[in-house]
Amino acid sequence: DKEVINDISAPIKFKITESTDYFFSPATKRIVLTPVADPDTPLKDRFASGSVGAASLTVFCDNPAAHDALTLGREFYFDITPARN
């Protein structure tokens, strides 16, 4: 079990909506993830309840071994839990 600090913990479901390869750096891929509503998460625990397309998360992956897992349309959960200082 993970410890929840200040009673805040929010799993967010993201979908890869963009994937860009760079010719100048073949090992680097730009991945854009957009949050999507997850009907399996109770409404009180959701990061967003309705229109969730207003935000995105952009990451740059320079690990070619991970590129096969980071494909367009694939969905992932991200857990937002406060970090300890």
Side-chain angles (χ1 to χ4, degrees), residues 19-72:
S19 178
T20 306
D21 294 316
Y22 290 104
F23 292 113
F24 65 85
S25 179
T28 302
K29 185 180 284 267
R30 178 180 170 266
I31 307 292
V32 177
L33 300 107
T34 304
V36 295
D38 181 4
D40 295 330
T41 301
L43 188 58
K44 68 178 184 60
D45 296 329
R46 290 185 192 176
F47 176 74
S49 60
S51 68
V52 293
S56 65
L57 173 67
T58 301
V59 296
F60 292 86
C61 177
D62 62 358
N63 178 357
H67 291 180
D68 289 341
L70 300 171
T71 57
L72 198 60

Side-chain angles (χ1 to χ4, degrees), residues 1-18:
D1 285 336
K2 66 180 175 191
E3 181 179 350
V4 178
I5 303 166
N6 295 331
D7 296 325
I8 297 172
S9 181
I12 306 170
K13 188 175 187 179
F14 280 90
K15 182 176 187 173
I16 296 178
T17 54
E18 293 179 40

